[in-house]
Every structure is written in C-alpha cells, then in structure tokens.
Amino acid sequence: MSETPQEHPSGRTSGETLQVVADGDTILSVVQPVFHETFSKDFGFLPIPKHLRYDPEHPAHFGLLLNATFGIASTFVVANLYYCQPLLIEFSKSFNVTYDEVSRIPTLVQAGYAVGIVFISTLGDLVRRRPLLLVLVTISSSLTIGLAITKSLAVFEALCFLVGMVTVVPQVLMPLAADLAPPERRASALSIVLAGLLLGVLFARVLAGIIAQFVTWRVVYYLAIGLQYFVLVLLYWMLPDYPAKNKGATYFGILYSMGKFAVTEPMLIQAYLINMPSSACFSNFWVTLTFLLGGPPYGYSTLAIGLFGLVGMFGVAMAPLVGRTIDGLVPWFASVVATLALLVFQAIAVGADGVNIGAIVVVCFGIDVFRQMVQVSLTTSVFGLDPTARARLNAVLLLSLFIGQVMGTSVGTLVFTKYGWRPAAALSLAWTGFMLFMILLRGPHVSRYTWFGYSGGIEIRKSKLNTRERKQENDAEAAVAADINAAGEAQEPGNENEKSLRAEAEQRGVASKAEEVEKVASHE
C-alpha cells in the first residue's frame, strides 16, 4: 500500500489522502479521508458557532463573503505597521524629542513584524488557525490601547515592536485561504487577501495624515483600537474552524523545515529571488515619489502627496480581475506577462521626471496592478509545492518581500538624493530586468527539483493542461488494466511465471498512480 497526501484537481484538500491499493485482481485509486478531531469550543471555553465547526462531510464554503472577510481583516490589522509613518513630526512634538529619536519607531515596528513572520506566522502549519487568529487580533488591539495613552517614548517604542510582532494576521489568513478555496479559485482568493493588505498600507498612511492634520495623533490609535476589535468580532462570527496540520510535528521542527525549504526547493528559491527586486521597485517608487512631488516643478504639499496615495487604490481595486486572470493561466506565464508590463511602466517612470503629472499617475496604476499580479502568481505556484507547509512557504516569501522593501527604501533613496529621479527610476528598471531573467531561467512545466531549463511543453492555459493530464491518467489506467488482464491469463496451472507476472503488473500499477499524483502536485 502506498499513501501520498496531495491536492487533487477535483477539489480534494490536504485533509484527504489518495491511496493506491493493490487488491487481488484490481488496483484501486480511492479518496480516503483523514479523520480529524473536531472542536466545539476555542481555548476550551469559548463556543464556536455551530455553522463554523469543522465537518469533513460538509466543508466550509469559501465564497465571496468569506473571502471579503479575509480581505477586510487584512486591511485593518496590517494598517498597524504604517500609521506611524506620517506621524513622526507629531511624535517628536508630543514626546518632546528630536526627529532622530522618533525615526526609530518605523524601524522597530518593521523589526517586530519580521520576527512575527518567522516565529509566529509559521504556527499556522502546527496549530488550528481559528484560535491562533483570535489570539493575535486580541493581543494586537489590546496593545494598541497602550500606544494611544502612553506618555513615555520608551514604552511607545517597546509597544510598537510588540504590535509589529502580532500584526501577522494577513500572513496566517493567506495560507488558510489557499486551503479553503477550491484549486480553480485559489489565485482569486489570494489576490483579494493581498489586495486587503495593500489597501491597509494606503489606508493607514492617508488616514493618519488627514487625522493628524486636524486633531491629536492619539485619535489615530483610538480609531485603530476600534477597528481591530471590530475585526475580532467579525472573525469570531465568520471564520470557519479548520484542523491543525502536521500532527506530531514540533515547533522547532517546523522552523528547521522552513530553513530547509528555503535552500532545497528550486521553485521557492526562484520565487523569492523575483520577489526581492519586485518589492524593492515598489518601495523605491513610492519613497522617491514623495521627494519628486514635493520639489520642482510640482511643489505639492504634504497633504496632497499623502492623498496621491489614493491613486494606488485603483490598482488595488483590480485585484479580482488579476486573480481571475491568473486562475486561467499557468502561474509562470502570468509572472512573465506581468513582468513585461512592469518593464514598460518602469521605462515610462524613467522619462516622467518633471514632464507630466499624468505620466506619474499612469505609472502608479501600472506598478500597483502588475506587481500584485507577480506576487499572486508566485504565491500560487509556491503554495502548490506542499499543502501541509503553506505557512512556512509563505513566511519565506514574506521575508524576501521584507528584504526587498529595505533594499528599495535605502538604495533607492541614496540614488535619488545623489543623482535624482531618473537614475533612481532606472535602478528599478534594472531590477525589473533581473526579475525577468530569473523567471526565464526555469520553465513552467519542469519537475519539482529541476533547477534550470525547460521541459513538458509550453502550454499556457490551465484548462488545456488539465485536459492533457486527464488523458494521461486514462491512458495509464488502461495500461494498468491490460497488465492485470495479462497477469490473469497467466494463472493457468503449470505456468511458472504466474507470481512474477502478477507482482510486476501490480507494481507497475502502483508506480503509475504515484507518477500521476506527482504530476498533479507539480502543476498545482
């Protein structure tokens, strides 16, 4: 008997196992459910609404309402990382300290976030996600109370670090969305969660800047408290329970395997080497854009520059279309198309310095849409590597985004201050060219552990690929049946090869089924 847990195009999730059973004269392929313990309470005392309890016979429906809930939660929680950025001057006045001292605050928030990605979001591969998410939102909203009322800069900085650590709710929601959504809608589901995350970045910067313009900065954090407790209630009534993965695994074993994935999986390595320059381009553009719009010939005010971020919301609004496009394509091709488009928009950015504000608006829109398309397509590909390790795979991708963000902010600002907008934009153009180079090194249909090259054709559409796989499956089943019939004919008395022929037929049948499963896994 051979057992291989994988996802299946029919919609079977990682909670089910494909068994290939050699049984006498037949070889059976069956879907065998793995039985999980069901819970009626979170934390042993908090009742789970009946319709949200895990039931393998009636799994949760991942529809638009639940997907939107994931997006809303991502928006209002990830905003914690960015409220502080437009408020630094107000912090210096309120705490009576220099600009240099308050400049540590964004760094501490981001440092806490990086720690949370590695040590907290990876718990999604070890424990049930529903109670984990409820705990994270409760801690985050409660710590924000301290941010709103403290009068000590040291306490404020310590709380910022802790809030950053637990602001990994979107990073737990993304793998959960991939588990709950059917395979044919996975990219759409991920794109909406990612859109919520990007919207949170814009929402926090714009809202904090506007509020601080008219009232004290503390009102921003009072609002954040209310929004996060709203998310807590929303998740309690909307988030379905889902069983823990990797039963028997340990926390340190999970962390070790994450490091192992980061150096042994060619597709993951390719993805994070693309993600880093993609994130760097995004950060470089938005940071240096502030300087460009504030100087000649535009001379925009701080408020006007902040409101300019609203242009990015049009890009976020394209998330459903981006997701549907990727759902219809093999993710590799979606990445290629998006990167080629980014090359065009980065080239426009190089020539847009002081020429026309309309060109800047077009670049804003294009970079937001196609950078999002790259990230969703890469995440979709990587999540297909191992359904039981999506939190760890996602953590590696997020760390690459974080490194890219730091790289884009620091190097991009340095180039801009020394040489101006065009060289800074040309740097992003070069990074985008590197992205395309990395994508083209490894083809879309190669086997899992192929590092370089192409094989398996160049089919672009998932529908055609699935048709081809079904045909291969039918051919394999026909071959197995022929082998078994031949072995059955060999059962006549006196035939010395009977046992060896039957054993060979059964072995070939099991091998062909295992090969089918491997193909499904490599294309998911």
Side-chain angles (χ1 to χ4, degrees):
M1 182 181 296
S2 171
E3 228 176 64
T4 310
Q6 293 288 357
E7 290 201 71
H8 194 275
S10 65
R12 179 166 50 81
T13 69
S14 58
E16 298 168 325
T17 302
L18 178 67
Q19 287 191 323
V20 181
V21 185
D23 181 19
D25 293 336
T26 59
I27 292 182
L28 307 175
S29 173
V30 297
V31 172
Q32 178 68 33
V34 176
F35 296 100
H36 296 280
E37 182 182 1
T38 57
F39 293 84
S40 60
K41 295 181 179 179
D42 286 322
F43 317 111
F45 69 89
L46 185 64
I48 302 174
K50 192 171 182 180
H51 67 286
L52 298 176
R53 296 172 189 173
Y54 178 69
D55 181 359
E57 298 298 324
H58 303 92
H61 172 63
F62 193 84
L64 182 60
L65 182 60
L66 184 56
N67 206 167
T69 298
F70 280 36
I72 291 168
S74 297
T75 297
F76 292 146
V77 175
V78 82
N80 288 335
L81 300 175
Y82 301 98
Y83 287 129
C84 63
Q85 292 184 1
L87 303 176
L88 294 180
I89 295 175
E90 300 302 318
F91 290 155
S92 69
K93 295 176 182 176
S94 180
F95 294 117
N96 196 26
V97 294
T98 64
Y99 289 172
D100 285 342
E101 290 176 277
V102 295
S103 67
R104 295 194 298 261
I105 293 172
T107 304
L108 286 167
V109 174
Q110 295 294 335
Y113 182 55
V115 171
I117 287 172
V118 175
F119 295 106
I120 297 178
S121 71
T122 47
L123 286 171
D125 282 341
L126 193 62
V127 302
R128 290 164 50 227
R129 265 75 64 86
R130 178 183 162 88
L132 175 62
L133 287 163
L134 294 179
V135 165
L136 289 175
V137 178
T138 301
I139 295 174
S140 175
S141 50
S142 300
L143 288 174
T144 307
I145 297 174
L147 292 176
I149 64 176
T150 184
K151 295 183 179 179
S152 166
L153 178 62
V155 172
F156 190 90
E157 289 176 335
L159 289 173
C160 280
F161 180 83
L162 295 175
V163 167
M165 280 185 62
V166 293
T167 305
V168 292
V169 168
Q171 322 318 333
V172 179
L173 286 172
M174 286 190 71
L176 180 57
D179 286 340
L180 293 173
E184 67 275 7
R185 281 199 59 244
R186 184 170 299 146
S188 296
L190 293 176
S191 67
I192 290 176
V193 181
L194 178 61
L197 193 152
L198 296 175
L199 185 61
V201 176
L202 299 171
F203 170 83
R205 288 172 174 165
V206 173
L207 191 68
I210 293 173
I211 290 176
Q213 207 48 29
F214 303 103
V215 293
T216 174
W217 61 267
R218 296 182 188 275
V219 173
V220 174
Y221 287 100
Y222 287 130
L223 178 64
I225 295 165
L227 290 173
Q228 288 177 89
Y229 278 120
F230 165 74
V231 167
L232 181 61
V233 174
L234 184 67
L235 291 180
Y236 175 79
W237 287 108
M238 293 294 297
L239 188 63
D241 196 20
Y242 194 82
K245 298 181 177 184
N246 304 296
K247 192 173 182 179
T250 65
Y251 177 64
F252 291 106
I254 290 287
L255 293 179
Y256 170 77
S257 64
M258 183 179 72
K260 187 177 179 181
F261 278 131
V263 296
T264 61
E265 291 287 350
M267 183 184 290
L268 179 60
I269 294 170
Q270 181 188 33
Y272 66 64
L273 289 177
I274 296 167
N275 253 346
M276 274 193 280
S278 172
S279 179
C281 291
F282 186 79
S283 299
N284 180 25
F285 175 78
W286 281 103
V287 171
T288 56
L289 180 65
T290 301
F291 303 137
L292 176 69
L293 297 178
Y298 305 112
Y300 289 166
S301 67
T302 302
L303 181 61
I305 294 171
L307 291 173
F308 201 85
L310 294 173
V311 175
M313 291 187 181
F314 291 102
V316 172
M318 298 295 290
L321 179 60
V322 169
R324 284 184 176 276
T325 301
I326 297 172
D327 276 329
L329 296 174
V330 173
W332 184 90
F333 287 97
S335 298
V336 171
V337 169
T339 305
L340 289 173
L342 283 173
L343 280 171
V344 173
F345 285 103
Q346 297 290 6
I348 295 173
V350 172
D353 180 13
V355 176
N356 191 301
I357 194 63
I360 301 293
V361 172
V362 168
V363 173
C364 282
F365 183 79
I367 287 178
D368 279 358
V369 171
F370 291 106
R371 186 245 180 185
Q372 185 179 178
M373 189 170 178
V374 169
Q375 189 171 344
V376 173
S377 59
L378 291 175
T379 304
T380 303
S381 296
V382 168
F383 276 6
L385 288 174
D386 188 345
T388 66
R390 283 177 175 151
R392 285 163 283 172
L393 296 169
N394 191 50
V396 175
L397 289 178
L398 288 168
L399 285 174
S400 69
L401 288 172
F402 183 80
I403 293 169
Q405 186 178 26
V406 173
M407 183 170 70
T409 302
S410 57
V411 179
T413 302
L414 180 64
V415 172
F416 181 90
T417 54
K418 281 194 172 184
Y419 305 106
W421 168 268
R422 280 200 175 92
L427 175 64
S428 289
L429 183 63
W431 277 334
T432 307
F434 176 77
M435 288 167 56
L436 184 62
F437 172 75
M438 290 305 305
I439 294 171
L440 296 178
L441 281 179
R442 188 174 183 274
H445 304 306
V446 295
S447 60
R448 179 169 175 174
Y449 293 105
T450 298
W451 290 89
F452 305 103
Y454 290 76
S455 64
I458 55 170
E459 181 55 56
I460 297 175
R461 292 165 294 177
K462 279 185 182 177
S463 57
K464 292 289 185 182
L465 193 64
N466 292 337
T467 300
R468 188 174 70 184
E469 286 175 349
R470 282 194 294 272
K471 183 178 182 303
Q472 290 173 345
E473 182 177 340
N474 292 335
D475 291 345
E477 288 177 352
V480 169
D483 285 343
I484 292 173
N485 289 336
E489 293 172 1
Q491 290 185 24
E492 297 177 4
N495 193 324
E496 298 178 357
N497 294 327
E498 173 187 342
K499 291 184 180 179
S500 62
L501 284 173
R502 287 179 60 80
E504 182 182 353
E506 292 173 356
Q507 190 174 28
R508 288 175 62 183
V510 171
S512 67
K513 284 297 178 186
E515 185 179 352
E516 292 164 28
V517 170
E518 177 63 28
K519 286 178 181 177
V520 171
S522 66
H523 291 304
E524 265 295 308

